[in-house]
Amino acid sequence: MSTTGDTKTKTQIRTRTPQLYKVLLLNDDYTPMDFVVDVLMRFFRKSELEATRIMLAVHHQGVGVCGVYPFEIAETKVNQVMEAAAEEGHPLQCIMEPE
């Protein structure tokens, strides 16, 4: 005995929020503090006060969080910072890690 018929399936669409990444600046003993503040204002759109606060965290704690972004944006910001530091001859390091 064979049965023919339409099988109905219910499709559920599930959206997931993309994984977020923290962009971090790492302390070194050579990059000028004003350059770090400039980078934070230019690439992360921080106010001068907020940029100074993050710069001081980098200086005193060894690391500072610049922002939290989806992968592609975080990667772009890391590249922008690294290119700007290289152009100016500074050893500033910028990394990203999953939140």
Side-chain angles (χ1 to χ4, degrees):
M1 176 174 200
S2 69
T3 58
T4 58
D6 294 331
T7 304
K8 294 183 181 184
T9 57
K10 190 178 221 182
T11 305
Q12 291 182 341
I13 299 174
R14 293 184 186 183
T15 57
R16 292 186 301 180
T17 56
Q19 168 129 17
L20 298 177
Y21 291 80
K22 293 186 282 189
V23 177
L24 307 169
L25 286 179
L26 306 179
N27 189 39
D28 64 71
D29 294 330
Y30 304 101
T31 303
M33 292 179 180
D34 61 335
F35 178 76
V36 175
V37 170
D38 179 59
V39 161
L40 289 163
M41 291 172 61
R42 189 172 9 150
F43 299 119
F44 298 95
R45 298 184 184 192
K46 302 294 183 187
S47 68
E48 187 172 1
L49 183 63
E50 181 70 5
T52 301
R53 187 191 65 75
I54 295 168
M55 178 274 298
L56 289 172
V58 172
H59 182 68
H60 293 294
Q61 298 164 10
V63 66
V65 178
C66 305
V68 179
Y69 308 95
F71 179 84
E72 291 80 11
I73 295 172
E75 184 178 48
T76 298
K77 292 195 178 287
V78 167
N79 290 336
Q80 289 173 327
V81 171
M82 296 300 291
E83 287 175 14
E87 286 174 7
E88 295 293 321
H90 300 305
L92 181 65
Q93 294 296 304
C94 185
I95 62 170
M96 57 190 258
E97 66 181 32
E99 184 175 43

